[in-house]
Amino acid sequence: SQQGEEDPQALSIQEGENATMNCSYKTSINNLQWYRQNSGRGLVHLILIRSNEREKHSGRLRVTLDTSKKSSSLLITASRAADTASYFCATPGKEGAQKLVFGQGTRLTINP
Amino acid sequence: DGGITQSPKYLFRKEGQNVTLSCEQNLNHDAMYWYRQDPGQGLRLIYYSQIVNDFQKGDIAEGYSVSREKKESFPLTVTSAQKNPTAFYLCASRSGGAGGEQYFGPGTRLTVT
């Protein structure tokens, strides 16, 4: 049961540029989360945005949430080679909030 | 140093053998999760547990079993009934209430030949 879908599936940019990834979801949510996964590693939580928030910042990360369009975006400013990773959005499953449903992810490559 | 540990990092088994993947956490979290990830794909939920001695099936539970005898431990057994067991397995625990952020272990890559 897929809830979030990321777009694009893959993104390649030059170091220093900004990277934007989008996530669309299907059902009503009370929060949306973004995670990062370096190759062959576990996921790391980046940011959680609640349904009553429109924008949230954390360092070079900016997340927006538009509940009317059921979509969210993750912006990474001034990208670095270390930002190369896969990024996933996750939302609470429709059966209840005890579990998260993850999208397929965006694979981001930062070229030096 | 708190966190989630999974062992081993790489595991190789012959087809037809059951194998148990370990997951331990010292974060004092009640809820724990097992996910499967195939190459280039997202995470799919296998089983989850909200409290000791209780667990629920996720989206792809067939061919897997779990136990939750201790708060710190949530082992996953991949049985011979699992048709395509080769994958990357991730364990996680949840901070706070329902819908809260999850903390992930480093994963176990299982290869069955």
Side-chain angles (χ1 to χ4, degrees):
Chain A
S1 56
Q2 187 162 324
Q3 167 78 307
E5 293 187 10
E6 286 92 343
D7 170 61
Q9 290 189 338
L11 179 62
S12 180
I13 62 174
Q14 295 300 120
E15 195 167 17
E17 294 180 340
N18 295 342
T20 299
M21 289 157 271
N22 302 296
C23 170
S24 59
Y25 58 92
K26 297 173 183 166
T27 64
S28 296
I29 58 172
N30 57 16
N31 75 65
L32 184 144
Q33 302 175 36
W34 285 92
Y35 289 79
R36 183 187 74 227
Q37 183 182 33
N38 290 90
S39 182
R41 304 287 186 91
L43 277 70
V44 174
H45 183 265
L46 293 176
I47 199 164
L48 180 153
I49 186 167
R50 303 191 187 284
S51 59
N52 61 354
E53 297 175 306
R54 291 296 168 259
E55 188 170 308
K56 200 164 183 179
H57 296 254
S58 177
R60 293 184 296 111
L61 305 180
R62 189 189 95 175
V63 169
T64 62
L65 180 63
D66 186 335
T67 53
S68 67
K69 295 181 179 178
K70 290 187 167 59
S71 68
S72 174
S73 68
L74 170 67
L75 168 69
I76 303 174
T77 60
S79 64
R80 304 168 182 170
D83 294 328
T84 293
S86 292
Y87 293 81
F88 297 89
C89 66
T91 55
K94 61 181 180 179
E95 292 83 4
Q98 299 298 338
K99 55 183 181 178
L100 293 178
V101 180
F102 289 81
Q104 300 277 48
T106 292
R107 184 181 300 274
L108 175 65
T109 301
I110 308 299
N111 301 302
Chain B
D1 195 19
I4 299 181
T5 57
Q6 292 184 244
S7 61
K9 188 170 177 63
Y10 298 96
L11 193 52
F12 298 88
R13 280 293 182 272
K14 294 290 186 186
E15 197 172 322
Q17 294 179 336
N18 291 355
V19 59
T20 298
L21 281 59
S22 166
C23 177
E24 303 280 330
Q25 56 104 355
N26 61 4
L27 300 168
N28 200 35
H29 291 167
D30 286 315
M32 296 185 74
Y33 302 79
W34 273 107
Y35 296 92
R36 171 185 172 133
Q37 186 178 35
D38 292 288
Q41 301 296 310
L43 278 64
R44 291 186 289 168
L45 182 64
I46 305 172
Y47 268 98
Y48 64 106
S49 167
Q50 298 178 51
I51 199 166
V52 173
N53 293 323
D54 182 64
F55 48 83
Q56 289 81 39
K57 293 181 179 180
D59 300 316
I60 55 166
E62 186 175 348
Y64 300 97
S65 66
V66 293
S67 63
R68 187 82 189 278
E69 297 176 1
K70 298 187 300 182
K71 188 175 186 177
E72 302 80 18
S73 179
F74 190 38
L76 172 74
T77 297
V78 184
T79 75
S80 56
Q82 168 50 231
K83 296 286 189 281
N84 185 20
T86 294
F88 188 50
Y89 291 89
L90 287 159
C91 179
S93 66
R94 190 186 73 222
S95 164
E101 75 176 84
Q102 293 187 10
Y103 292 75
F104 283 80
T108 292
R109 188 168 299 281
L110 173 65
T111 302
V112 177
T113 57

